[in-house]
Amino acid sequence: MEKGKARLSRRQFLKGTAATGVLVGTMGAVGIARKAAAGEVVSGEGENAPDLKTIRTTCSPNCTGACGMNAIVENNQIKAIIQAADYPDEDYNPRGCLKGLSMMNLVYGPDRLQTPLIQKGQPGVDELQQATWEEALDYTAQRLKGIAEKYGPESIGVAFQVGGTSYVHKGAVSRLATLAGWNIHHAYDQNGDLPMFWPMTFGVQSEELEPKEWLNSKYMAIFGSNILATRLPDAHFLVEARNRGTKVVVFDPSYSPTAAKADEWIPIQGSSDAAVALGICKVILDEGLYDESFIKTFTDLPLLVRTDNGKRLKADEVEGLTKPTDTPAYREVYVAFNGGLLAVHPEKLDLPQDLILEGEAEVPLKSGEKVNVKTVFQLLREQLHDYTPEAVEKESGMGPDTLVRIAREMATAKPLHIVYGASNYQWYHGDLKGRALALINVLTGNIGQPGAGISTYAGQYRIRLKVGEWWVPEGRKQNWLPFLYVLNGPTSRMKAAYPEHGIKALIFGWGNPFDQHNMANILRERVQSGELEFVATMDFQMTTSCEYSHVVLPGVTWYEKMDLVATPVHPYLQLQQPAIPPVYEGKPELWIIRELAKRLNPEFENYFYPGLEPDQAAEEAIKLMLRTGGPAVAGISLEQLKQGPVRLKSQVPGDRQIPFYEQVHSKLPFPPQSLPAKLEQTAQFVKSGRIEFYKDEDIFLESGEQLPVHKPPFVESEYALHPEAREKYTFNFVTRNAIYRVHSTHSNNIWMNELQEGKARVWLNPTDADEKGIREGDEVELYNARGILKAYAVLDPGVGRKVAMFEQGWWSRYLKETSYNSLTYPFIKPTHEAYFVPGMWAPNTAWNECLCDVKKGGES
Ligand SMILES: Nc1nc2c(c(=O)[nH]1)N[C@H]1C(S)=C(S)[C@@H](COP(=O)(O)OP(=O)(O)OC[C@H]3O[C@@H](n4cnc5c(=O)[nH]c(N)nc54)[C@H](O)[C@@H]3O)O[C@H]1N2
Ligand SMILES: Nc1nc2c(c(=O)[nH]1)N[C@H]1C(S)=C(S)[C@@H](COP(=O)(O)OP(=O)(O)OC[C@H]3O[C@@H](n4cnc5c(=O)[nH]c(N)nc54)[C@H](O)[C@@H]3O)O[C@H]1N2
Ligand code: SF4
Ligand SMILES: [Mo]
């Protein structure tokens, strides 16, 4: 057997997939499957036709699809996967992509783990040894107990991906981590997917319009989101919207597939979006194109700010004003002006419309002093003064005439929908860009209406129902630590508790951090030096992370277990249902966790439905979550879900997914609740109960980021860390997501690799390539002081100058054992440390804030 890899023989592999190619391409099979209800046995035609079973399940990698799939199963083997196309709303049918349809290549692929593995030598160097479950679990429990005794249980960290795809099994990990007192690393900020402008501005984790709402937009302004590749099953809504007359404008430094489908592509410099957005806002203010009534009712723009200390004026401070007695502790009462001073109730959006938006005044305080104040609107107008079309052009490259025309279009074409893509907020100042973009929507009143709003479509994180009863046993305290601190070390401002001895052991599931996280090389070095004493990985295939682990625990794919799925972009609640029994010795994660739990403490087993088979136990957990999951799942039963997907319930008529509809239509305070956090935890982010553009926490004042502002990239990050980088590394290393993979999942899918000739590529502007003597197809090296990446050059005039564009997710195996994330760095932005609520307000990763140089391969 090859190094550390439990491989299938070619014969076993072919046996698993032999019928696949035929069935996928055969309409007859599609016909058979369409007629079958879930689990029903359907006979084919003729005497010798096979008996086929169709099982309805959900494709559940960390993509935004969550597509319903039917597995066609014969003799406990998947023979084909086809789109279920059973959504009650026909517009959502069918969903799926070639990755999902070729998942058999992974289920039965050569990298599929066959048994547990234990490393007895050097991780990443020596072969992992096959072990029995008893041996692997006993060993894992013994190591974890030892580490907990020596350093405390909080020195053990667990990281599992995106809750939305697996409420049961990921919940089991959370449950055990809570019981054992371990730290949990939230996936949202670890992946760079937490768009920090959301909590800062709206007090929520994140929000988005469901894709069908795109049809109601008149104008879609897409800032660095590649919908045609990364929202594959929903991309048709964009094309359809455009065909019906929606104007689509894409702002992207590169001519992306989505730009190719737009009415207009506006190439802008990397991370210049805030300059563009603020330029647009200036036109909107200067030309009076804003919605005055909306901003008076729903935003902090009328509130007064003290010019002496930059803080919002509080009612408590002002002579003659008092704080209403019904103000919750996590709110604050500020002041507005309509000729007289008004105490602004944070839970009542009922200010009079004669409020004065612009100007300054002197206000008498209870202390006897007088202070000068200005409205936030006034400060904003002053701030925007510098964002003239000409100044914006200098930063972004966008022509002045275009800027003015686009600003007028955006201000007048209602409903306006802005899509703010993940790659775009995965920059150091991604929060500032988001605050500036949101300002366009808010100034024009494009919030809370069909087809209107700002959306950030990242992975499948957002929890759609209350999960506390399963995820947090008995409401116990949980320990959370943002993963960036594991890599970066503690900081003086951090609000999360850093364990005394740091993190000494990590347990990973549903993720491949040794390829996918910043400083993947540092993670590798820490394992090899022993600084990280123990790593256990649960996966169904032999990833790079498995190779660097001390123990590998073989999990199963979504075709082999029962689970509940409810993800952000997707408006339906769905089941994963086992189509086949676990392949080889793989086990559902709930089983693995239960076995580990009882070895750590015999009493823990009681928390995981002892005695029940894993799928039965999973059903019990699902029933518990449906019973206690709150309004989104009220009245939905497991039996109903077994018949097919059920729309999640919402406060919007028709259960449509329109963020802030209730706020705007019923004048409710911001924010709505972001599950699983309690409202008071996130309401403290917007204490005024309104959409906030002025942040007066000290760190915002110190950073000059009270209001949205454009800050150029690299100055506070790369150049501050390594001043020599300014001269030495002039290429911006940008990593977008690939249509051929879901991150690193499907790196090894033979069908996908055939489409890419098995080669990892880097896209370069031809002029830059020419200067470096690089030709199409050459092997090139991207490097900086931290690491090196090898890939093949594609020369593309659609790629901006001095950009090295790479499609993230390749396993090291395909990069000649280099690591693309060895180039990136775990910067922590101080404003991200103003509060800490896990997965809501935490330091976010900035993959694209990265510089490198490029040379032809093999040169010294
Ligand atoms: N096929 C597939 N689909 C996926 C995934 C996958 O791996 N594969 N992953 C899912 C997940 S978890 C995520 S987070 C999403 C991410 O999906 P997206 O939000 O679409 O993000 P990316 O594909 O990384 O990048 C989109 C675009 O951002 C542009 N960009 C980069 N920097 C800037 C900038 O500063 N300004 C502007 N205006 N544009 C910029 C890039 O040029 C690129 O064209 O995709 C989800 N969907
Ligand atoms: N430089 C750079 N780095 C990036 C990004 C970038 O744009 N640039 N993007 C970031 C983003 S947005 C994200 S979301 C992350 C994603 O990075 P990861 O979260 O690490 O995602 P994957 O690489 O897809 O790894 C998922 C792993 O889970 C396994 N798996 C799938 N299903 C199951 C299951 O049911 N059980 C178990 N036990 N395992 C399972 C798969 O085999 C796979 O190995 O990467 C981030 N990394
Ligand atoms: S990989 Fe994503 S888009 Fe493709 S079928 Fe699966 S969930 Fe759908
Ligand atoms: Mo992501």
Side-chain angles (χ1 to χ4, degrees), residues 390-454:
E390 293 70 28
V392 171
E393 184 183 26
K394 281 207 186 89
E395 292 298 308
S396 69
M398 181 175 178
D401 294 346
T402 314
L403 182 96
V404 174
R405 175 176 56 80
I406 293 280
R408 289 175 185 152
E409 286 177 13
M410 284 172 84
T412 49
K414 286 191 175 168
L416 165 71
H417 182 211
I418 289 183
V419 183
Y420 181 32
S423 245
N424 197 357
Y425 53 80
Q426 290 165 346
W427 286 81
Y428 191 78
H429 294 305
D431 52 347
L432 288 174
K433 297 200 269 181
R435 289 170 69 196
L437 288 169
L439 186 59
I440 303 176
N441 282 91
V442 172
L443 285 177
T444 54
N446 277 297
I447 294 285
Q449 306 290 356
I454 175 164

Side-chain angles (χ1 to χ4, degrees), residues 10-24 77-80 104-105 108 751:
R10 187 172 152 74
R11 220 180 110 253
Q12 283 169 308
F13 172 64
L14 288 176
K15 204 173 145 211
T17 52
T20 304
V22 182
L23 277 178
V24 162
Q77 280 201 331
I78 301 174
K79 298 298 180 183
M104 303 82 69
N105 293 345
Y108 302 112
W751 291 9

Side-chain angles (χ1 to χ4, degrees), residues 251-267:
F251 299 77
D252 197 308
S254 295
Y255 189 62
S256 65
T258 309
K261 292 281 177 208
D263 292 282
E264 270 187 67
W265 168 47
I266 301 183

Side-chain angles (χ1 to χ4, degrees), residues 222-257:
I222 300 173
F223 288 82
S225 171
N226 194 4
I227 288 170
L228 266 285
T230 57
R231 241 67 60 189
L232 263 183
D234 295 304
H236 68 92
F237 286 116
L238 183 69
V239 176
E240 210 173 311
R242 186 167 169 252
N243 289 345
R244 292 186 190 186
T246 306
K247 178 155 185 183
V248 178
V249 182
V250 170
F251 299 77
D252 197 308
S254 295
Y255 189 62
S256 65

